[in-house]
Structures are given as C-alpha cells and as structure tokens.
Amino acid sequence: MLLTRLAHVSQEVAATSARSRKIALLAELFRDAEADDVPIVIPYLAGRLPQGRLGIGWKALSRPVAPAAEPTLTVREVDARLSALGKVSGTGSQAERARLVGELMGAATADEQRFLFGLITGEVRQGALDAVAVEGLAEATGTPATDVRRAVMLAGSLQTVAEALLAEGAASLDRFRLTVGRPVLPMLAHTASSVVEAVEKLGACAVEEKLDGIRVQVHRDGQVVRLYTRTLDDITDRLPELTAAALELRGERFILDGEVISFDEDGRPRSFQETAGRVGSRVDVATAAETVPVSPVFFDALSVDGRDLLDLPFAERHAELAQLVPEPMRVRRTLVSGPEDVPAAEAFLAETLERGHEGVVVKGLDAPYSAGRRGASWLKVKPVHTLDLVVLAAEWGHGRRTGKLSNLHLGARNPDGSFAMLGKTFKGMTDAVLTWQTERLQELAVESEGHVVTVRPELVVEIAYDGLQKSTRYPAGVTLRFARVVRYREDKRPEEADTVETLLAAHPEVKP
C-alpha cells in the first residue's frame, strides 16, 4: 500500500466526527490493504510508531525539504526506513539521523510529509483508534464486530487478528482463545465524578480501593509463572517476589488480574514513581527487590483450572478469586446493594484516601470482563487535584494543530517571585481554546526560538492533574502527572498562582 493512501484516509478521518464515516473509511482502507501492511497501517492510523521513540529531534525535522512530485513510498518502505533511523547510535548519530530524515522527507509528497511529521512527533490524533479500527475491520471482512472484538481481546493484539482475518477470513478467529501464558488486554474503567453517581449508574456493586501501582496479569501453569503489564510486556524476570507469591496460591492453573505496588516500612504505599521504577528495573534485580520490595494485590480472576471466566458476572469471578487468593493479597472492598449504602461507600472512599491510595473503583456485580475496553460497569472515582499555574511558554503544534500554540510550559511561584516550571501539557484544549490562547500568547511573546515561544508570565491557567512525581528535568525537582487544562483564569493575577511550597505540602509522599 502506498503511504499517500494512508495519509489521505488519515486526513479524512480527522475531518469527520461521525463514527459511522470513520468506520466506512477504515473498512475501505482495510479492503485495499495486504495482510503484511496491517502491522504498520493500524498503529500509524492511531498515531503510534511500531518502533517507539526514534530519538529524532526538532532540529532534524524542521529543516525544509523539497517534496516529491509523485507518490512512490509504500508503508512498508517507510517502516523499514524508520527502523533504520531508530538503530542509529554512537558518534555522528545526530548527523546521520538528520541525513536519513532528509532522505525520507525528500521521497515524500507534501501531504505525505505532513503525515510523517505528525506521526514522528506524536501529533497524529485523528480518532482512528483501535476501537474504531475493530469496527472497520469487521465491516471490511464481513465478520460480526462482536467476534472481531473478542478475538482482539484474547489475542492481545489488533494487528495479529487483522492479519489473520485479511489472509484467511472469519474462520481464522477460532484460534484466538483464552490461554494461560498468552496475555489479554485488561479491562479498563471509565470515570465517575462521585460514588453517588457511580452507584446510581451500576446499582448493586463492589467498591474497591484504587491502588496507584502497576497493573499486572499473572499466569500460572503448574510451576511456570509469567507476569505481564497492561501493555502485555513480559516482566517475569524483574519481579521474583511476585512469582513466589503466585506459586504459594492454591491453584495450579489460572490467570489473575491485579496490581503490583510497593509499601514503605509503615505500610503506606510508596509513590507511583518508586513502584514504576522498580518494575522497570532490569539491572541487579535481587538488590532492587531488597530496596523496593513489591506486593501483588489481586482483584479479578479470568481463568481457573482451564475454565474461561470472562463471561461470568463479576460476583462469580470474585468468588473464584477468593477461593484461590488469601484475603491479605486481595484488594480491600465493600459491597453496596443500592442508594441506601452510599454513606458507607463514601466512608470507604475517605478511609481509602487516608490509607494513601488514590481513590476507588466501583464495579457492577453482574458485569462480564470486557478485556481491552473501558467497560461501563467499572467506574473509577478519585479526587481531582487542581492548581492555578502561570504559562511560561508554548510550543507550536503539528498535524491538526499546525499554526496553533499548543503545548504549554507551566510554572508555579517560587518564594522570590520567580516561577519554577513543573511540566508541559497539550491536553484538555478545545479548538476554541487553542485559537484564543494562540492569539493571547502571541500578545505576551518575548522570544521565539525554533518551535518554542517564550511569553511574559502573566496568564494564569487552572490545571487538573493526577499526582506528582520526582523529576530531575525541572527546577523544583518534581513534575505533574497527566496535567490537562481546565480553564483560563483571566480573573487572577500571576501573584495569585499557586506556589511550589503549596504543591509540595499537598503531596508529602513525594520528596524532591
């Protein structure tokens, strides 16, 4: 498949908000694709590079290159070139990357250049995500969407299912079954604003602690244990204590869903960053296990003794879990029958927060396990942290945000009146906000260097964020997690913005 075909579909998908039209466009694209194109086409549509980050800087991408007159690049050729780019290292690597980027852009038409630029910089966000791609794939192959969705859930990979479907047809879906040792995409939760809202939506439910750890799926077959993250990475070798815990459980063959988390000497959860750092560490695992030991906390059972439990109600799955896993290794929970139990559920949330966890997940007792999807029967409730910060600079956007100042540099007040940068965000902005802030920030601009516009620190913006973590990149030694714009506060002066001291006091668990 030519890259130009993919670039045009991407542009059309970006231009429509109608889900049905997106599905139709993707279905037509899949009909034209060869099975070998699929592992590239699907992540490209979702704005992902199969190779991950390539280490290509702004300077290499910003050099103008004359576009090709006619489209000749195929998606597989582009993938091969980007793979070669990702392997460049050592002395002279920056110059070599720049040369390879120039060659690639020179072989691309103007439309293809725009698409590649957005893809490499992570600015392709046109709504062609996996859920819509599943529907398009089903329509393209004449297969029921429910069958495709379940196969993707059990295979843990849309690309794998798409290759099989396009090459062999609907009969190929029979091979995708729940199997111990092959991870499945986890079920995810939507957000509710309060316990009251969640209970109103779900009725009879369980209210469980929401732990700020790392999602983990534990597979055991006899004496063989494999551990997987929510992105299906195998982390077995990094967490020997988790393998030992799984081998102590009563069952011989199972798949369990849960979190891995680290507690301090007082039994309180360590910061997410510490747990994530431990799970990500591949060097000297024995020392890491002594320094930052982790514990499993299970909340669901997907398979027990060869029985697929995915379609069972949550209440029955939890009963299976309780037979296998002792209470200290199960997530703390309380059951709610209806609105009359809301005060008890709210008290449970308050207690959970006091214990240092980030909130609760409210789960309908009659719901199946919707692997790989944000099921409507799981609703997370957690307090939203907000700060009033000052915009210090902004970066010009790419893709659909070309010509707009998008990525904001956010600062909190220091004791001397200066501002310490806490991170960046481009999230939470409507098109109207993007247009307004571009005009306003250009009025405040004092310097423009490359893609960054530095502004006078006068504009206050309310920012929601999920937490704080240590960072050596920023002067305060911390950065915001999942920051997003709530609204601009033109009614506030920069002297009224929140201080670094206030922020640190609100998160005593994070010590820069």
Side-chain angles (χ1 to χ4, degrees), residues 80-314:
R81 289 189 182 215
L82 291 177
S83 293
L85 255 167
K87 293 176 182 176
V88 174
S89 62
T91 305
S93 59
Q94 190 171 356
E96 177 63 6
R97 285 196 196 97
R99 184 186 71 80
L100 292 174
V101 168
E103 286 185 356
L104 175 60
M105 291 300 188
T109 64
D111 284 347
E112 291 170 335
Q113 282 187 355
R114 282 191 288 272
F115 178 74
L116 287 170
F117 193 97
L119 186 64
I120 293 170
T121 58
E123 288 282 346
V124 175
R125 298 183 184 87
Q126 78 280 56
L129 301 178
D130 286 353
V132 181
V134 164
E135 303 285 341
L137 181 62
E139 185 173 313
T141 57
T143 308
T146 52
D147 293 351
V148 179
R149 193 176 297 115
R150 185 172 181 84
V152 171
M153 171 182 81
L154 297 179
S157 166
L158 173 59
Q159 289 94 308
T160 300
V161 173
E163 285 181 85
L165 259 180
L166 293 176
E168 305 168 37
S172 66
L173 298 186
D174 291 339
R175 76 177 67 144
F176 301 110
R177 302 178 184 277
L178 185 62
T179 304
V180 176
R182 186 171 69 192
V184 298
L185 293 168
M187 182 172 176
L188 304 174
H190 282 288
T191 299
S193 61
S194 66
V195 170
V196 173
E197 178 189 337
V199 172
E200 286 178 350
K201 287 183 177 180
L202 300 180
C205 56
V207 182
E208 299 183 343
E209 287 186 333
K210 187 179 188 308
L211 310 179
D212 198 13
I214 299 293
R215 191 75 172 266
V216 66
Q217 197 174 108
V218 177
H219 292 236
R220 177 180 170 183
D221 189 355
Q223 295 302 298
V224 178
V225 175
R226 308 305 301 177
L227 313 174
Y228 303 94
T229 65
R230 67 180 285 172
T231 54
L232 311 188
D233 295 324
D234 189 329
I235 56 172
T236 308
D237 295 340
R238 304 180 210 169
L239 302 176
E241 62 266 58
L242 204 58
T243 296
L247 290 172
E248 290 176 1
L249 300 180
R250 300 185 183 98
E252 290 287 321
R253 198 161 186 263
F254 53 72
I255 303 173
L256 303 181
D257 192 4
E259 296 262 337
V260 62
I261 188 168
S262 179
F263 296 96
D264 63 20
E265 53 275 5
D266 297 322
R268 293 183 64 80
R270 296 177 190 261
S271 71
F272 172 81
Q273 193 174 16
E274 289 180 273
T275 300
R278 167 63 211 285
V279 173
S281 176
R282 296 177 174 87
V283 180
D284 196 358
V285 170
T287 300
E290 290 181 8
T291 306
V292 186
V294 294
S295 303
V297 181
F298 297 108
F299 49 70
D300 217 324
L302 312 188
S303 174
V304 174
D305 295 332
R307 291 178 291 121
D308 181 340
L309 308 182
L310 295 175
D311 293 328
L312 292 182
F314 176 51

Side-chain angles (χ1 to χ4, degrees), residues 268 348-360 382-383:
R268 293 183 64 80
F348 181 82
L349 169 59
E351 182 185 345
T352 297
L353 295 174
E354 181 62 28
R355 284 165 51 85
H357 299 301
E358 63 174 4
V360 295
K382 58 183 182 178

Side-chain angles (χ1 to χ4, degrees), residues 39-81:
I40 306 164
V41 167
I42 288 176
Y44 277 18
L45 282 169
R48 301 190 303 265
L49 288 173
Q51 298 86 352
R53 297 176 67 89
L54 297 176
I56 301 173
W58 170 264
K59 187 176 292 186
L61 288 168
S62 61
R63 296 189 180 105
V65 178
E70 298 292 333
T72 60
L73 286 172
T74 66
V75 292
R76 277 180 263 176
E77 180 185 354
V78 171
D79 183 65
R81 289 189 182 215

Side-chain angles (χ1 to χ4, degrees), residues 462-480:
E462 184 179 348
I463 297 293
Y465 67 103
D466 284 5
L468 198 64
Q469 67 185 47
K470 291 186 288 187
S471 174
T472 57
R473 294 181 56 190
Y474 298 109
V478 294
T479 188
L480 306 177

